[in-house]
Amino acid sequence: MKRICIIYTGGTIGMERTENGYEPGKEPFADIMARISDFSSPELPDYDVIEFSPLLDSSDVTVNEWNKIGRTIYEKMDLYDGFVVLHGTDTMAYTASALSFILQNLPKPVVLTGSQIPLCEIRSDAKDNLISSMLIAASGKVFEVCLYFAGKLLRGNRAIKMSADSLIAFDSPNYPRIAEAGIDIKYRDSVLMKKSDKPLVLKELDEEPVGVLKIFPGIQIELFESIITEKLRGVVLEAFGAGNVPNYCGALKNIIAKAHDNGAVVVACSQCPTGNVSIGTYAASGSLKGAVSGKNMTTEAAVAKLYYLFSCGYSVEKIKELMEVDLCGELDG
Ligand code: ASP
């Protein structure tokens, strides 16, 4: 009999309505599951539930929770066939990206899921998301951090939250779905990560001073110059299209030069959900000279990767080089 570990961190899946809006409920999640007969079906693997404290709305998840989830999985790897992480949907794509760097060479599946409607409410999407995630965690077919939601299994560091209110809330527009759950769960071997013959690695992340700046038409870039202090180590710049930015007044050039002088890394990602950053294709990318290309990484993956590379203690030059290299499936090399 397969056995999986369910790590409950918070999120809508276990929330209750309160006068302040939805909040994590008081009843242990394992008790809620025990009341729902489907979870004792012999078709499902046996499971243990580990409940984090405090339970969080994922808006409050930080590097500490990423490390705590990673550490829990690392320490219990030999005890289970796979892991399901129950997490709020709002920052689930960031956590999935971070875990793909924290836990490398995974020998077993790590599946993040959650729901848009709490498990205890009528019309909840939680039961299907959780049941399918449990089956995937016990499948022995996945060797990476992935995110399951509404019939789609996505590579964790390629996923983005697409909708604030649709039950089909996630997709990975820049990478094929790694499995689809219809009548059967169909895995796509050609896009799944192969099992590594290297040992599992846990690399906890440090709280690094990184940031995200989204470019918009008419942006008065000089207003942002003051955020580029010596303390800031990495910036993800969300540029237009293939990596284009306003060229007026050369203000962005100053920012990038200042970041460079301060030893910070500027990574250009695209505001478009699909396609690639290609600095140099347009003259309008001229101000990005000195920045590195985020290629087709999501902003979520680029942020997590900056945390990871700085936590590894690499030199700025090495970090710039590695930002453009595929480390764990986060970009097309
Ligand atoms: N605010 C919630 C969270 O991210 C939303 C959800 O779980 O769907 O924790």
Side-chain angles (χ1 to χ4, degrees), residues 10-13 15 56-59 87-91 115-116 161:
T12 296
I13 193 160
M15 285 190 179
L56 294 177
D57 185 294
S58 73
S59 316
H87 194 285
T89 59
D90 290 342
T91 67
S115 68
Q116 294 278 62
K161 185 171 180 182

Side-chain angles (χ1 to χ4, degrees), residues 45 68 87 95 116 140 166 176 192 221 267 293:
K68 188 171 164 190
H87 194 285
T95 299
Q116 294 278 62
S166 164
L192 277 165
I221 292 166
V267 188
S293 169

Side-chain angles (χ1 to χ4, degrees), residues 69-188:
I69 299 168
R71 214 164 40 238
T72 306
I73 293 172
Y74 180 81
E75 285 166 0
K76 299 194 180 300
M77 185 53 73
D78 293 340
L79 303 177
Y80 296 101
D81 295 291
F83 296 82
V84 173
V85 179
L86 301 178
H87 194 285
T89 59
D90 290 342
T91 67
M92 197 189 291
Y94 285 93
T95 299
S97 297
L99 286 174
S100 73
F101 294 104
I102 293 173
L103 291 166
Q104 292 188 26
N105 313 324
L106 273 176
K108 294 170 186 174
V110 171
V111 190
L112 280 87
T113 195
S115 68
Q116 294 278 62
I117 304 175
L119 179 58
C120 55
E121 283 191 16
I122 195 94
R123 288 194 63 246
S124 175
D125 51 332
K127 202 171 78 177
D128 173 61
N129 285 347
L130 180 47
I131 286 177
S132 298
S133 298
M134 290 169 76
L135 293 170
I136 293 163
S139 68
K141 294 206 164 92
V142 178
F143 308 103
E144 57 185 290
V145 176
C146 53
L147 189 156
Y148 178 82
F149 219 89
K152 302 173 196 168
L153 186 67
L154 310 171
R155 173 161 295 165
N157 55 29
R158 299 296 193 121
I160 52 177
K161 185 171 180 182
M162 307 279 290
S163 174
D165 50 17
S166 164
L167 300 185
I168 305 168
F170 286 87
D171 214 336
S172 57
N174 243 348
Y175 193 74
R177 297 165 190 164
I178 58 178
E180 307 249 9
I183 290 176
D184 300 311
I185 300 178
K186 291 209 171 88
Y187 295 89
R188 303 178 69 187

